[in-house]
Amino acid sequence: MSFTTITPAPARLNRSELAVPGSSPKFFEKAAAGPADAVFLDLEDAVAPDKKDEARKNIIQAIGDVDWGDKVLSVRINGLDTPLMYRDVIEVLENASERLDLIMIPKVGTAADIYAVDMLVTQVETAMGRKKRIGFELIIETALGMQNIAEIAAASPRNESLHFGAADYAASTRMRTVQIGGANPDYGVLTDAAEEGGERAFHWSDMWHYAITRMVVAARANGLRPIDGPFGDFSDADAFSAHAKRAAVLGCEGKWAIHPSQLGLANEIYTPPAAELEKARKILAAMKDSEASGAGAAALDGKLVDYASIRQAEHLVKVAEAIDAKG
Ligand code: GLV
Ligand code: MG
């Protein structure tokens, strides 16, 4: 390991994160009673401009009044380029109960954005004598944010997670898609004619691969959770699952749900599969035995396992334990 140590953000289960518009209080109780690990109440892009004040009031009341159980509870504030953000922070933190865990900051562009919100949050927390420190979830969804992601991820001890916002990211970079998180058939690979005996196949590829991988690296290098954002077509469960699985394979810990029907899928996909978990436990046992016999590596089912395998296996087992503890 490097001499630089990475301090992990507080451990929270974040397999699924349900987006709920602050202007639709009728959905709050259902969100609180449902299977989401985390819920964010939205003041930003799911709320119409003339409903912002009302949404703030709804959210402030619901944070205290609704029984959110053991859910991670967050509020998505408006962007720093709007005249709304300061009031979102001040009104919510001056008036909402300490049940609130996190603030989600959209369209983060620079580390200074985080510094500014941190300053504001710190002032209100101190002035109000709030005891629980609010953490930050940061949405990376602009070209500027992706360019500055390393500094952004390191910008505040309040940072807990990075989220990839496919819709705004596509808008900002002018990627050719009009679907939130969807695939584009033009992004693919045509196999070589000579290699295929004249038959050429076209394989669709993952146009989000770079962005998600970049986010995972910045998040993990700073002890934060990488979370994949929305997938808009909530009637296509197969496409949601395929996308969520790809992001999970790349290291993400969870995914947003923009509809309750996506929650079960996200929870399932971001729960370590039973076979992987069994293998992880076997690796830990094999390494314990080999260490007892003075060896640093072992053969398990004809494959090498060593101390790096322990680190891989331990992560899986830890997540599984957190899920079991949630019940
Ligand atoms: C989320 O906010 C997105 O833009 O995808
Ligand atoms: Mg967005």
Side-chain angles (χ1 to χ4, degrees):
M1 292 292 177
S2 166
F3 188 58
T4 299
T5 50
I6 297 172
T7 310
R12 300 187 200 268
L13 216 45
N14 208 161
R15 294 169 301 171
S16 55
E17 181 146 352
L18 182 63
V20 185
S23 48
S24 304
K26 61 176 189 258
F27 296 138
F28 291 176
E29 294 282 352
K30 198 174 164 211
D37 284 341
V39 171
F40 78 82
L41 303 173
D42 194 15
L43 286 169
E44 201 221 12
D45 279 356
V47 176
D50 62 344
K51 292 276 191 294
K52 298 281 187 185
D53 287 345
E54 189 185 313
R56 240 187 246 128
K57 289 195 184 93
N58 295 338
I59 286 176
I60 289 166
Q61 193 178 344
I63 290 170
D65 289 0
V66 173
D67 178 3
W68 297 99
D70 59 0
K71 290 193 179 356
V72 178
L73 186 59
S74 181
V75 171
R76 179 164 74 168
I77 60 174
N78 286 283
L80 278 83
D81 58 328
T82 70
L84 300 162
M85 184 281 283
Y86 80 101
R87 288 190 59 201
D88 291 343
V89 172
I90 292 170
E91 286 191 21
V92 170
L93 291 186
E94 280 192 349
N95 299 296
S97 86
E98 299 234 8
R99 177 60 185 78
L100 183 66
D101 299 302
L102 305 169
I103 281 180
M104 177 182 269
I105 309 172
K107 300 178 184 66
V108 178
T110 67
D113 288 346
I114 305 307
Y115 188 85
V117 181
D118 195 350
M119 181 270 289
L120 196 55
V121 168
T122 302
Q123 286 201 18
V124 188
E125 272 183 357
T126 310
M128 300 303 295
R130 289 179 74 94
K131 293 191 183 55
K132 187 162 109 186
R133 185 174 81 171
I134 291 290
F136 289 166
E137 308 184 285
L138 316 177
I139 317 182
I140 303 300
E141 51 183 347
T142 61
L144 187 63
M146 194 57 88
Q147 176 174 273
N148 294 322
I149 193 166
E151 294 79 22
I152 289 169
S156 168
R158 294 182 190 270
N159 289 356
E160 290 203 10
S161 52
L162 299 183
H163 298 239
F164 178 61
D168 273 305
Y169 187 75
S172 171
T173 56
R174 305 192 194 177
M175 288 173 93
R176 286 180 52 193
T177 172
V178 284
Q179 259 206 71
I180 298 181
N184 184 328
D186 283 342
Y187 194 79
V189 179
L190 186 64
T191 59
D192 195 83
E195 295 293 326
E196 304 278 327
E199 290 287 317
R200 307 185 82 175
F202 182 79
H203 299 289
W204 290 37
S205 299
D206 181 7
M207 61 194 274
W208 308 105
H209 181 271
Y210 167 78
I212 290 179
T213 304
R214 183 73 194 89
M215 177 188 71
V216 169
V217 171
R220 296 299 184 198
N222 289 279
L224 313 182
R225 296 183 292 280
I227 307 294
D228 189 24
F231 186 82
D233 187 353
F234 58 83
S235 44
D236 192 344
D238 289 344
F240 175 91
S241 297
H243 191 89
K245 280 182 190 168
R246 286 200 303 276
V249 168
L250 293 175
C252 284
E253 267 181 55
K255 182 159 177 61
W256 290 14
I258 46 92
H259 188 272
S261 65
Q262 296 176 333
L263 288 171
L265 297 169
N267 284 346
E268 187 189 323
I269 289 161
Y270 284 97
T271 297
E276 263 177 45
L277 194 59
E278 194 189 321
K279 201 158 168 206
R281 291 200 163 112
K282 269 191 184 170
I283 288 171
L284 294 178
M287 282 302 294
K288 209 168 165 196
D289 289 350
S290 82
E291 199 174 54
S293 67
L300 180 66
D301 302 331
K303 297 185 188 91
L304 174 84
V305 293
D306 65 7
Y307 283 100
S309 318
I310 295 187
R311 288 187 285 276
Q312 290 178 323
E314 275 174 349
H315 289 308
L316 276 181
V317 171
K318 228 191 250 169
V319 174
E321 282 170 0
I323 294 165
D324 284 350
K326 192 179 179 209

